[in-house]
Amino acid sequence: MRATRRTFRTAAIATGAIAALAVPTTAAFAADAPSNPQGQVAPGDQTGTTDQDQTGQDQTGQDKQTDDETPKPGSWESKGTTDLGKGWSAKVDVNASARTAKAAISLDGAAKGSLTAYEKSASTTIDGNTFTLTPDGTVTAKLVNKDKDKEKQKEKDKPVPGGWVSKGVTDLGHGWSAKVDVNASARSAKAEIYLDKSVKGSLKAYINPSSTKIDGCTFTLSADGTITKKAAPQPKPQPVDKRVYVRTAKLADGSTAKIYKLGKNHYQADIYAKGAKLDTLDANGRSATGENNGLHVVLHPDGTIKSWVDGKTGTGSTVVPKGGVKAGAEDVHPAGESTPLIAAGGGMAALGAAGLGFAVYRRKQNN
């Protein structure tokens, strides 16, 4: 029988049917996905159904590799690294089926933290910077401005109304110092005062300056925190009267008196007997009187001196200093007005030899 093209086609269909019957039952149910049934045709009769391309290369291996790279439900897919600026970056992974994303955050390549977003956005703060991640893997960063932060810190450090601000320590000299604080809004200042680092006192000023005395020093504090110290005033030295020799006077019993001027209305007389000093009369603004063994001596503050001896008349003597004498200076009667300060006994010569003091009397000056 002559074989024709139809004969070969029929044979091929029959052969394919036999092969299909020979496939195990388990293999027939291996794929759940529905297939598009086609009429059984001889190989090469239907275009696009061959496993070979025009070059004859089998494409089955390439299709299998592409299927393996497709994310499976529940698996993570990398979205790479996102540059967030100023050295910050985030390595992001996404699990689309789980509606979840995760990010590893780094600064200059060093890990700084992590962030996970599930169904909704999530945020975290690292070193003052805020990072936000969405479930689809979008990551953003709100980075702090360091210069702006410095300005904010300066504003924060500024005195708060009603607060105290230190003005440091003021050196007041000679070991003294003061630690001062000011409250500008309250127009007040306060100071703690030290001497050689030991607290000696404190001082407060409100609107007007305030002062205090410590160890004789006066400290003054103003409301703006200015503090000063004024040392205790030193007493003025009193003028020292210099003894200026005026003359030597002979007394009624033969002894002598050396008269000195110290100042206005101030004279002194040193009484001597046989070369030995007996005593000194001091007439400073009032007369001075002395008596010994019957000898009476009166020194007036104008420098005049008068003497006499008890029981002897005509023995009195008055010595007038150069430059004149006050009116009435000779009319002095000390015998009845003076009070003895030292009781003397024995002769004047004996007193002089013994170096004893001259008996001195004082009486008020006649005005």
Side-chain angles (χ1 to χ4, degrees), residues 326-358:
K326 270 189 174 183
E330 293 85 350
D331 299 330
V332 178
H333 304 284
E337 298 178 11
S338 301
T339 303
L341 300 179
I342 301 176
M348 183 173 289
L351 285 173
L356 298 177
F358 185 65

Side-chain angles (χ1 to χ4, degrees), residues 38-118:
Q38 295 180 354
Q40 295 182 353
V41 294
D45 288 351
Q46 184 175 353
T47 59
T49 60
T50 180
D51 290 338
Q52 295 180 347
D53 57 11
Q54 295 180 355
T55 61
Q57 184 177 357
D58 189 357
Q59 296 296 316
T60 306
Q62 293 182 1
D63 294 342
K64 185 177 181 180
Q65 183 176 3
T66 303
D67 290 341
D68 291 340
E69 291 177 352
T70 302
K72 297 178 181 180
S75 64
W76 290 93
E77 177 186 0
S78 173
K79 289 199 68 175
T81 301
T82 301
D83 184 4
L84 301 173
K86 295 185 178 181
W88 291 93
S89 62
K91 186 175 180 292
V92 182
D93 295 290
V94 175
N95 190 328
S97 62
R99 294 172 292 174
T100 306
K102 61 183 179 181
I105 302 171
S106 302
L107 175 62
D108 297 327
K112 298 293 287 184
S114 60
L115 184 61
T116 301
Y118 170 65

Side-chain angles (χ1 to χ4, degrees), residues 215-228:
D215 292 352
C217 298
T218 301
F219 299 87
T220 302
L221 176 68
S222 63
D224 65 357
T226 302
I227 186 168
T228 58

